[in-house]
Structures are given as C-alpha cells and as structure tokens.
Amino acid sequence: MAALYFNVLKTTLIDRLHGRISIDTVKPGPDPLFTLDQESLLANHIQTMGEVGFGYTRQETINLASDFAFTLGLRPRDKPLTDRWLYKVLDRWPALEVKKTEVSI
C-alpha cells in the first residue's frame, strides 16, 4: 500500500527494508566517491583558494581530487576523475562556482 500511496516501486521499498539500499540514499546511482567529510574538506579547500585569489581551473580541480582519491586509496593513479564527477560535486556544493578567469593589467 505504501508503494501505491507514495508512487514508489515495491522492489525499492523491499530493497530498503532488507538493507540492500541505505536509508540515507536519496538519489539513484552509485554512492559518491568521497565521504561527506572528505568532500567537505575538498570543497572548503577549493573555495578558500578561490577567495584568496588562487582559484582552480576545471582540470586543476579534477587533478587535485584525483590525487586526493589516490592518496586515500579510493582510486588508482591511472584512473583520474572526469568532468562528470566535477559537475556532480558542483551540484552537491552550490557554493563552488566555475568562473572565467579575469586578467588585470
């Protein structure tokens, strides 16, 4: 009845009841690579660097996160993160922004 009432697949409810899907999961797909604390640390670093004038480009951000993942043992060195990963992080951390660099002469 709950599946009908909330318009959710019955199999989804059964998976949650049996622990195959975490109760904290709110979006479909794989879990994020980093924990919330790890991603928060990375996001705060990126934001702080931008505030002091050393903002990262898209590629530098991906390289930084790839190195971080390698250091934590979450990803091999030869499998860097992608633009897709970056845009998912930007969705989760709206305070981070992609901006064009300004050149002052």
Side-chain angles (χ1 to χ4, degrees):
M1 289 180 72
L4 290 174
Y5 184 79
F6 291 104
N7 195 25
V8 176
L9 292 174
K10 185 177 177 181
T11 55
T12 301
L13 294 178
I14 291 170
D15 286 344
R16 286 194 186 246
L17 283 172
H18 293 290
R20 289 187 287 263
I21 298 176
S22 169
I23 196 72
D24 297 326
T25 302
V26 293
K27 290 187 176 184
D31 290 335
L33 176 64
F34 299 111
T35 65
L36 184 59
D37 289 339
Q38 293 165 341
E39 202 168 269
S40 174
L41 181 68
L42 185 62
N44 288 336
H45 172 74
I46 293 167
Q47 188 172 11
T48 301
M49 294 301 286
E51 288 170 359
V52 297
F54 295 99
Y56 293 111
T57 64
R58 268 189 205 111
Q59 192 57 52
E60 288 171 336
T61 302
I62 290 169
N63 292 344
L64 176 72
S66 295
D67 289 343
F68 187 43
F70 173 74
T71 301
L72 295 172
L74 300 174
R75 199 162 176 102
R77 173 81 63 199
D78 63 343
K79 293 221 178 213
L81 298 172
T82 63
D83 283 343
R84 184 176 176 187
W85 172 86
L86 177 64
Y87 290 116
K88 286 184 179 185
V89 168
L90 292 174
D91 285 343
R92 288 191 295 269
W93 299 93
L96 299 179
E97 299 176 307
V98 176
K99 294 183 179 179
K100 288 189 177 184
T101 56
E102 296 177 15
V103 178
S104 58
I105 299 176

